[in-house]
Amino acid sequence: MPGSSSMDDTQSVASLIESTTSKIQQLQQAFTELESHRAVTLNLKWKELEEHFHGLERSLKKRFNELVDQEKAYDNKASEAREMLENRKAMVVAKEHSSLEWLQEKRDAALSAIGSALGKSQNSLVIPIASNNEQHVLCVERLNEEGTKIDSEDAYLTQIMSASSQPCSPLMKLCQEMDAKGLNEYISENRKNLASIREEIPTALRSSSSPLNLVLDSLKNFYRLEMPEACGKKDADLLGLRRTCLMLLETLGQLLAELDPVPENLVISSDIKQQAKAIADEWKSRLNDLDIDASGGNSLEVHAFLQLLATFGIVSEFNQDEICNLIPSVSRRRQTADLCRSLGLAHRMTDVIEALSNSGRQIEAINLAYAFELTEQFAPVPLLKAYLKESRRTSQVKAGNTSPSAQVSIQNEMNEREISALKAIIKCIEEHKLEEQYPLDPLQKRVFQLEKAKADKKRAAEVAKPQSKRPRAIAGNGSPNGVGYAPRLSNIPDKSFYRGPERYPYAYERQYVYPVEAHASPLLSTAAYSLPHNHSNYYGNGYQYQSPFIH
């Protein structure tokens, strides 16, 4: 410690000064002995030396005493400074406590004024009030502008409350009223504003008295509105309804996973699990009758079924092998990896990836291998090469022995398959940064060659089309016999230029889309939905596809 070190130094210096007298005496004895060996006396000289040394001793003692006094003065000042700091610290703490008490009094007064203002309300308002770090939306009454006057503080708080309030949104109102049917219809009809709806739906669900029952009620029409394939409008409405049900299931699952502790109205009781189990049993029986392979890894029905099991925690009620067998039916969807984790299937992904690879769906296998860190067991580059080889082999087998006219059509189809496969491979390489292991340049050159050949054939076919020799005769007043010729209009745009209204995508339904032509034959069957011809094919990323290549 600094204090003990200083004290030791002082004592050491004092002992050295005290020893000077004995040192002078020793020096005198030595000088006397030296004098005895000389003929001439040295008494006068010794006295001078002795006086000199005693003068040095007195000077050192004086200086030492001055230093000791200065050290004591310094210690006194340091002690006074520490005492002053302690006093100031105590004063600051006292002021803080006083300020906190003053703020608490103001807060209590403000809450009292708000309660008094709410008691005089008439019309409904929505006022967000923070409580326990959560945002609750309470429906209160609008203040009576023609009522009796209140004191200035109440009027001030009422003005602030009215400025920060906003009316209940339709989505919030539907959730508070537990109107499941209206909730489904509102979301389906407002797909244009789906992004804002997805942001609002978690808060809206929590404002309901029972979010779990509300979501379960919304699932009851998942299959009830199914219509014949010829009715395209009803089929499109059913598709929108099912997507809405899936979004509600996903949102509820996210709320249950993020909230800690879970609020009382979101606790899954045994009764809620029984209701969810009944719905899941019904959906499972529907899946047994559905050709889910027709979706090529993009089955909305299977996704909704698996999300229902994950959200309500009823996975253990079903056979795990059967659930694993359903994963390839949703392997193209971007939520597949997270869905598998929530279902507790991470340890079974080796079997799923191997099944995808063996069925000609190597790119989907690669995506899951990266998601579950299994790329050492399933090397991406060999799988990509096998995928391209398999797509070419499937096309060649289909060609077989056919007529010359059919050969041209088959060759065009083979080129389209190869283009789609090459583009899917390029996208996969770019996404997983495999350029060093699998160079892109040869693949891109091949795509350019195939697309150029396709464009050349199209131009040659247009040139070879027969042209009419003369315009078709029409009735009119342009000639004496009432027959005229209509001019040939060549500037009318092609019908394909006009497109029907765009269907707004569901943002949560982005997916990996790969060319189904390269897959096994069961994947080439008819789609699960029969949409009208003017129904544009859009996915969650907003890009329209012609050949099924969106990654």
Side-chain angles (χ1 to χ4, degrees), residues 6 61 116 129 137 144 146 152 190 201 218 246 250 278 288 296 345 347 349 416 419 430 455 479 515 536:
S6 177
K61 286 184 178 181
S116 175
I129 299 179
V137 180
N144 184 8
E146 298 179 358
S152 59
N190 291 272
I201 193 64
S218 70
L246 177 57
E250 289 181 332
N288 295 333
L345 300 179
H347 65 289
M349 293 313 298
E416 288 291 343
I419 290 174
E430 292 176 343
S479 62
S536 301

Side-chain angles (χ1 to χ4, degrees), residues 141 263 290 348-349 398 478 492 496 505:
E141 302 296 321
L290 183 67
R348 301 289 301 272
M349 293 313 298
K398 185 176 180 180
I492 298 179
S496 62

Side-chain angles (χ1 to χ4, degrees), residues 14 71 125 138 165-166 198 250 278 310 340 342 408 426 488 548:
E71 183 178 7
L125 283 178
L138 306 177
S165 62
Q166 55 184 6
R198 283 187 62 82
E250 289 181 332
C340 290
S342 61
V408 176
I426 291 172
R488 186 170 181 269

Side-chain angles (χ1 to χ4, degrees), residues 116 239 364 399 401 469 486 548:
S116 175
L239 181 60
E364 298 164 38
N401 295 325
K469 294 183 178 180

Side-chain angles (χ1 to χ4, degrees), residues 358-362 386-400 410 413-415 417-418 421 515-524:
N358 294 336
S359 62
R361 297 161 67 174
Q362 288 88 347
Y387 174 72
L388 182 58
K389 182 179 179 181
E390 179 68 18
S391 65
R392 290 171 176 171
R393 187 188 67 81
T394 304
S395 300
Q396 293 172 358
V397 170
K398 185 176 180 180
I410 293 176
E413 183 179 352
M414 290 170 57
N415 291 343
R417 290 172 184 268
E418 187 174 356
V516 297
E517 295 86 350
H519 294 163
S521 56
L523 304 177
L524 302 178

Side-chain angles (χ1 to χ4, degrees), residues 451-467:
E451 290 184 339
K452 184 175 183 300
K454 176 183 174 182
D456 293 341
K457 288 180 181 180
K458 183 177 180 181
R459 284 194 297 268
E462 291 177 353
V463 172
K465 286 182 180 180
Q467 301 292 334

